[in-house]
Amino acid sequence: MSKVKAAVLDDYQHVAESLVGAREVPADLEFTVFHDHLDDEDALVERLQGFEAVCVMRERTPFRRGLLERLPNLRLLVTSGMRNASIDMAAARERGVTVCGTPSVGAPTAELTWGLILGLFRHIPQEDRATREGGWQETVGTGLPGKILGVAGLGKLGARVARVGLAFDMDVIAWSRNLTEERCREVGVSRVNKEELLSRSDVLTIHLVLSDRTRALFGAAELAMMKPSAVLINTSRGPIVEEAALVDALERRTIAGAGLDVFDTEPLPPDHPFRRCDNTVITPHLGYVEEANYNAYFDGYFAAIKGYLDGSPVNVVKG
């Protein structure tokens, strides 16, 4: 009996082999791990022709209709997490490709959000760099108590971030299109409209799902409503904020800074302006890159493939 061939894509960090090796691989399954990222569709088609199952890490490699139509052997796509906007679900269904997801751990992105906030307010990256170069106490930090934390999106992640803000004695306000007073009372924050969120926040942190409704939700007009002393944090998805407008606001210092873990193009191009802005803390989409989360992903990969082999798919993504 021939083995089912499964690929793991975009293992930038060379962790997949150890995570696969820590699990019992069925005898009828063969894993191949690819560490590099391919943007070119022709190159992807050539690479993936022989694979029946492909495991994708978040949105690192999009599976649009054009690519799916050129992979006749593909029968199973497994994405880390239970949502992936870069997979054309309609095209997958039409091609008979089952799309499954994996469990994930909710805390890592919220933790990184606070790392970015603290990094900006206490100038941690600058002070670390200066101290290594022989300097000492080159900046004056800003405290959080009494500052206003504005949370765009009060789901699981937004609520976790909000509760930490309350623990720091911040005033926490929240907005999203469908946010209710009941949800705000449950978390212990105040509901405001979008204009109030923008004009009042000392820290505006985004925890929304990327969709047609949220793409470019924060553009030049919205950024212009923010305080010159305010900072913007985005650990959700880059396109929720108009990138050119944010670069302009940072360069003209109409806002004080930004903490960014997500970008329109990932990996971030080497010549991107964000790399040159001295009022940013930027990280390479690390929100989900955490040991427990990776273990949950790979457990989910194996469960999805086993379900497929058994004829009973699990964690099937709808949409």
Side-chain angles (χ1 to χ4, degrees):
M1 181 178 177
S2 61
K3 290 188 175 184
V4 171
K5 295 179 67 177
V8 178
L9 302 188
D10 297 306
D11 179 31
Y12 302 155
Q13 298 159 298
H14 294 256
V15 298
E17 278 98 345
S18 62
L19 290 167
V20 169
R23 291 153 177 82
E24 185 178 345
V25 180
D28 54 353
L29 180 63
E30 176 185 325
F31 265 101
T32 302
V33 177
F34 295 102
H35 304 295
D36 59 327
H37 173 73
L38 294 179
D39 284 318
D40 182 74
E41 185 177 295
D42 290 338
L44 273 168
V45 169
E46 182 178 354
R47 171 170 286 182
L48 299 178
Q49 274 299 327
F51 290 97
E52 190 172 338
V54 174
C55 300
V56 297
M57 182 64 73
R58 308 306 296 148
E59 291 92 5
R60 292 177 183 179
T61 294
F63 276 76
R64 306 300 187 197
R65 178 177 295 274
L67 177 59
L68 290 166
E69 288 177 346
R70 298 175 66 186
L71 297 173
N73 295 320
L74 183 64
R75 289 292 174 266
L76 176 69
L77 265 178
V78 191
T79 177
S80 51
M82 288 301 298
R83 182 188 296 116
N84 190 325
S86 73
I87 295 174
D88 188 326
M89 297 297 297
R93 283 193 300 271
E94 291 170 19
R95 303 292 301 174
V97 177
T98 300
V99 181
C100 295
T102 75
S104 59
V105 178
T109 300
E111 293 170 358
L112 183 70
T113 296
W114 279 102
L116 294 172
I117 295 170
L118 293 170
L120 284 164
F121 271 66
R122 299 303 298 271
H123 308 292
I124 293 170
Q126 298 96 311
E127 291 289 5
D128 173 83
R129 184 165 54 251
T131 303
R132 293 174 189 276
E133 294 172 354
W136 194 255
Q137 291 186 355
E138 297 195 353
T139 65
V140 176
T142 303
L144 294 175
K147 293 291 189 293
I148 297 176
L149 174 68
V151 183
L154 203 61
K156 290 181 181 179
L157 286 175
R160 187 181 290 268
V161 169
R163 291 184 178 110
V164 175
L166 293 170
F168 275 121
D169 292 327
M170 300 181 76
D171 295 325
V172 184
I173 60 178
W175 169 85
S176 67
R177 284 192 172 104
N178 299 314
L179 184 61
T180 65
E181 288 284 2
E182 181 183 12
R183 176 59 174 167
C184 288
R185 285 195 298 271
E186 180 183 328
V187 179
V189 306
S190 299
R191 184 167 71 102
V192 296
N193 62 36
K194 185 180 178 184
E195 290 72 22
E196 288 179 283
L197 181 84
L198 290 159
S199 63
R200 292 178 57 192
S201 295
D202 296 299
V203 179
L204 171 61
T205 181
I206 298 168
H207 303 283
L208 299 166
V209 174
L210 178 62
S211 68
D212 290 340
R213 295 179 68 197
T214 61
R215 188 176 296 274
L217 184 64
F218 299 99
E222 288 77 19
L223 295 175
M225 297 181 196
M226 295 178 65
K227 301 176 184 177
S229 58
V231 301
L232 181 145
I233 309 295
N234 190 3
T235 57
S236 183
R237 290 296 180 271
I240 295 173
V241 182
E242 285 187 5
E243 195 169 86
L246 180 56
V247 169
D248 181 65
L250 291 167
E251 290 180 340
R252 293 192 299 112
R253 298 186 184 274
T254 57
I255 65 172
L260 305 171
D261 187 48
V262 290
F263 309 93
D264 284 7
T265 301
E266 297 180 1
L268 190 66
D271 60 348
H272 197 285
F274 284 146
R275 295 185 186 268
R276 302 191 299 272
C277 292
D278 63 1
N279 52 349
T280 60
V281 177
I282 58 174
T283 49
H285 206 153
L286 295 179
Y288 63 93
V289 180
E290 188 261 359
E291 183 179 2
N293 214 29
Y294 268 23
N295 275 308
Y297 288 167
F298 276 80
D299 284 343
Y301 288 159
F302 272 76
I305 294 172
K306 183 178 184 300
Y308 166 74
L309 293 174
D310 292 343
S312 302
V314 297
N315 293 326
V316 176
V317 177
K318 308 295 184 183

